[in-house]
Amino acid sequence: MNACDLEEGDPPEPDDATTVLTVVADAAQETVMELLRQVWPLCREHGSGMHPRPAGTADDWYQGERDTAGPPVWWCRGSRDGRCHDVSPVGELAAILPGERQGALRRSEGERDGPR
């Protein structure tokens, strides 16, 4: 996952797919937010930013907690109502878009891929 060789004192490379997927989701989120200068992704229900976490984690879960076995999901803290919830598995965020936006995304992907 590192673009360069690890140096002494660097954390070890992740050795499982779930951790790698979470690290990549974090990096994608940071990159999009830095380039667009806006929060991404947003929960459609609450309008607040989401974060990758293991599925089914509670509001008081903390990064590095090891007793969670769920796959990574985009997680919403909720708004002031405090109703945190899993929104979408990481990698499947497009599936929760409204039908019109989902169709536009599929059409643009088809244009990029070219004729089949």
Side-chain angles (χ1 to χ4, degrees), residues 6 12 20-21 35 41 49 52 69 72 74 76-77 81 86 90 94 104-105 113:
L6 292 176
V20 170
L21 186 56
L35 292 173
W74 288 107
C76 172
R77 180 177 303 283
D81 63 13
D86 296 351
V90 168
L105 180 62
D113 294 342

Side-chain angles (χ1 to χ4, degrees), residues 80-105:
R80 293 188 178 139
D81 63 13
R83 290 186 353 217
C84 58
H85 60 107
D86 296 351
V87 176
S88 167
V90 168
E92 298 179 26
L93 196 55
I96 67 164
L97 292 173
E100 182 179 302
R101 290 186 63 199
Q102 195 176 85
L105 180 62

Side-chain angles (χ1 to χ4, degrees), residues 16-107:
D16 65 284
T18 299
T19 302
V20 170
L21 186 56
T22 302
V23 168
V24 170
D26 272 328
Q29 180 181 40
E30 287 178 24
T31 301
V32 169
M33 291 187 342
E34 184 176 320
L35 292 173
L36 299 179
R37 298 189 192 278
Q38 66 184 32
V39 175
W40 178 88
L42 289 175
C43 172
R44 286 185 42 214
E45 182 179 342
H46 295 105
S48 57
M50 298 186 289
H51 303 278
R53 291 172 58 153
T57 54
D59 189 30
D60 61 352
W61 176 85
Y62 63 92
Q63 189 83 24
E65 193 172 318
R66 296 283 181 215
D67 62 350
T68 55
V73 296
W74 288 107
W75 179 86
C76 172
R77 180 177 303 283
S79 58
R80 293 188 178 139
D81 63 13
R83 290 186 353 217
C84 58
H85 60 107
D86 296 351
V87 176
S88 167
V90 168
E92 298 179 26
L93 196 55
I96 67 164
L97 292 173
E100 182 179 302
R101 290 186 63 199
Q102 195 176 85
L105 180 62
R106 285 192 181 131
R107 283 189 298 279

Side-chain angles (χ1 to χ4, degrees), residues 2-8 10 13:
N2 287 316
C4 58
D5 292 332
L6 292 176
E7 295 185 17
E8 189 174 328
D10 285 344
E13 290 281 333

